[in-house]
Amino acid sequence: MGSWNRACSSSLGLAECLSLLQRKFLHTPGAASGPPAFVFDIDGVLIRGETVLGSAKKALQRLYTRGGEPCYPICFLTNGGGVTEAEKAQQLSAWLGVNVRNNQVVLSHTPFRSLAKSLGSKPVLVAGVGKVAEVAREYGFKHVLTTRDIALAVPKAVPFWKGSPAVPVYFSNPDLLWAADFPAPRFGQGAFAAALRTLFALQTTGGELEHQYFGKPHRAPYALAEELLLEQAIQLGKLPASTGAEAAKPGRALPFGAIYAVGDNPKADIAGANAQGQPWVSVLVRTGVFSGEDGENDREHPADVVVDDVAGAVEAALHRTRSSEWHSLR
């Protein structure tokens, strides 16, 4: 990562945060100039359970007009799901007091839209909490089954039996832990995935379950977020209309000064943002899974910057943006 990678806390102040961010871009060859963009995790960053964190509204107010419209390209990228993107956008709008649109939301299962091209006409079994069948149908899966459907149709049925053909399994969320409104982190879908893979191996004498993970820290949701941020930047007049086609060309850098990815889970949010490279900037907050002391960073997946909460993350990012714009005019 580099020697500039240190934790930034409220005790160090904005000057230290700005210094860390500036050094990152100074030591990154070919760093692009352009507007900033923001990608927010939800659980542990903006909310805990259904309680909106006090810093969340303060942070979003800095990025939206008084009328509730975004001033910058913004995405809400979460390993949560169980509802449609439209319903999650409505929830976020109500919680945060701003206008969140469908094209600003990437849920853990949003990348499953691409699977409908090859699996849309085949029977698909979906499992999970919430309106998973409704979500699947909206994505274009025409023959959706749930475990309840199977249990009602064939009460004695079992999901696997000897000699059955291999069925690929797609997990939308690899998170082992996530932050709800309980004081300690809770097990997520990643725990279920680990248990299912272990059981499959035991039942097949060491066989490997054919599976694929989507969701952070994997590439698919970040690719979707980049597309949505580009669309928003063009709609907001931050980038020319030709930018989308140019950015799609192989090897072209994204035309953002920085994409600030704010998260609370080092294994998902920070590892994923770090893997994307420039112009992604990982920002770790202490309001969720991670709760390190001032000056402390995660050892396994260190963030570019660590702050107390999402308001501190936005303030540091905007401060760096203002500083960069001022230097460009000198």
Side-chain angles (χ1 to χ4, degrees):
M1 297 291 294
S3 60
W4 48 265
N5 193 322
R6 293 177 49 205
C8 168
S9 70
S10 57
S11 61
L12 295 175
L14 281 175
E16 182 71 5
C17 292
L18 179 60
S19 176
L20 291 172
L21 291 170
Q22 286 176 326
R23 276 183 287 176
K24 168 168 185 172
F25 286 93
L26 284 173
H27 294 298
T28 304
S33 60
F38 295 84
V39 175
F40 295 102
D41 182 36
I42 297 175
D43 296 292
V45 174
L46 303 174
I47 64 170
R48 291 288 297 262
E50 293 190 1
T51 301
V52 180
L53 296 176
S55 58
K57 288 187 177 182
K58 179 180 178 182
L60 271 295
Q61 286 172 358
R62 299 295 310 278
L63 303 178
Y64 279 75
T65 66
R66 291 185 178 181
E69 298 301 317
C71 301
Y72 302 95
I74 298 170
C75 268
F76 299 89
L77 177 62
T78 176
N79 274 355
V83 297
T84 65
E85 288 75 11
E87 185 171 341
K88 180 57 70 173
Q90 291 176 353
Q91 286 181 341
L92 289 168
S93 297
W95 287 337
L96 302 172
V98 295
N99 183 19
V100 178
R101 298 183 176 88
N102 300 2
N103 68 348
Q104 291 179 281
V105 176
V106 178
L107 303 174
S108 63
H109 44 62
T110 302
F112 282 6
R113 288 183 186 274
S114 62
L115 296 177
K117 296 177 182 178
S118 58
L119 301 176
S121 60
K122 299 179 180 180
V124 174
L125 175 66
V126 298
V129 177
K131 305 174 182 178
V132 291
E134 177 185 331
V135 170
R137 293 187 184 98
E138 189 195 69
Y139 289 172
F141 296 96
K142 298 180 177 63
H143 305 289
V144 177
L145 295 172
T146 67
T147 52
R148 184 174 184 273
D149 293 330
I150 293 177
L152 290 174
V154 189
K156 295 182 180 181
V158 293
F160 300 104
W161 61 91
K162 186 176 180 180
S164 63
V167 177
V169 178
Y170 300 93
F171 296 108
S172 67
N173 178 0
D175 284 356
L176 181 64
L177 299 173
W178 66 290
D181 47 4
F182 191 75
R186 304 287 84 194
F187 283 124
Q189 189 185 116
F192 169 77
L196 181 61
R197 292 175 62 189
T198 301
L199 287 171
F200 186 88
L202 289 172
Q203 288 292 99
T204 58
T205 318
E208 175 64 25
L209 177 68
E210 184 181 350
H211 69 283
Q212 182 177 349
Y213 284 108
F214 290 79
K216 297 177 289 186
H218 301 282
R219 171 61 183 162
Y222 292 94
L224 279 176
E226 289 171 357
E227 293 177 10
L228 296 178
L229 291 172
L230 279 170
E231 290 176 5
Q232 291 177 48
I234 293 171
Q235 292 170 357
L236 291 169
K238 301 287 185 181
L239 293 172
S242 60
T243 304
E246 287 296 315
K249 294 179 180 179
R252 291 297 179 94
L254 290 167
F256 294 104
I259 300 176
Y260 297 99
V262 185
D264 69 299
N265 190 332
K267 291 182 181 295
D269 305 318
I270 304 308
N274 288 344
Q276 307 314 309
Q278 195 275 333
W280 287 82
V281 179
S282 58
V283 185
L284 181 61
V285 297
R286 299 188 180 91
T287 50
V289 172
F290 180 79
S291 57
E293 300 295 329
D294 282 357
E296 189 178 342
N297 204 336
D298 185 73
R299 293 183 179 181
E300 186 179 0
H301 300 289
D304 295 333
V305 176
V306 183
V307 294
D308 288 337
D309 54 34
V310 66
V314 169
E315 184 62 29
L318 292 179
H319 199 64
R320 187 223 166 227
T321 300
R322 290 192 297 269
S323 176
S324 299
E325 290 174 348
W326 182 79
H327 281 291
S328 70
L329 295 174
R330 293 179 64 182

